[in-house]
Amino acid sequence: MAELATHTEDRDARRFRELTESLGLTTEEALRVFVLAFNRRQGFPFAVRINDAPTADWAPFDSEEEADEFVYRQADRMLDEAW
């Protein structure tokens, strides 16, 4: 077996552990699911894109905390769609 490793912010790692636990998975199992889905799809198992033009409802975040909350909501939405 090969080992994959990455570094991430402490708060992101904590949130990942909390979410995987709430799903009844270990972090290792969740990462394994991602790797298998990534390989099966031959890319991300969800949409990854950069919008090149702001839309009418686009506005910058007022704080880093607001941006973090947005990212977590989007991650939750993507996980829900994937399952």
Side-chain angles (χ1 to χ4, degrees):
M1 285 221 157
E3 182 177 323
L4 300 174
T6 188
H7 294 275
T8 189
E9 295 292 329
D10 288 340
R11 69 177 182 270
D12 295 328
R14 266 192 310 277
R15 179 75 171 140
F16 184 69
R17 285 187 190 100
E18 290 168 3
L19 288 170
T20 56
E21 184 177 306
S22 71
L23 292 168
L25 299 170
T26 66
T27 55
E28 293 83 4
E29 291 166 334
L31 290 171
R32 194 172 301 115
V33 167
F34 174 78
V35 168
L36 292 172
F38 188 95
N39 290 344
R40 185 169 294 129
R41 295 281 309 257
Q42 297 185 21
F44 286 99
F46 47 81
V48 177
R49 63 185 164 273
I50 298 172
N51 294 329
D52 57 351
T55 61
D57 60 346
W58 181 88
F61 296 109
D62 291 328
S63 68
E64 185 175 341
E65 182 178 274
E66 185 182 353
D68 286 345
E69 289 172 10
F70 174 81
V71 168
Y72 291 129
R73 283 194 311 273
Q74 293 303 311
D76 288 341
R77 183 181 60 77
M78 288 187 285
L79 284 170
D80 288 343
E81 289 175 4
W83 296 102

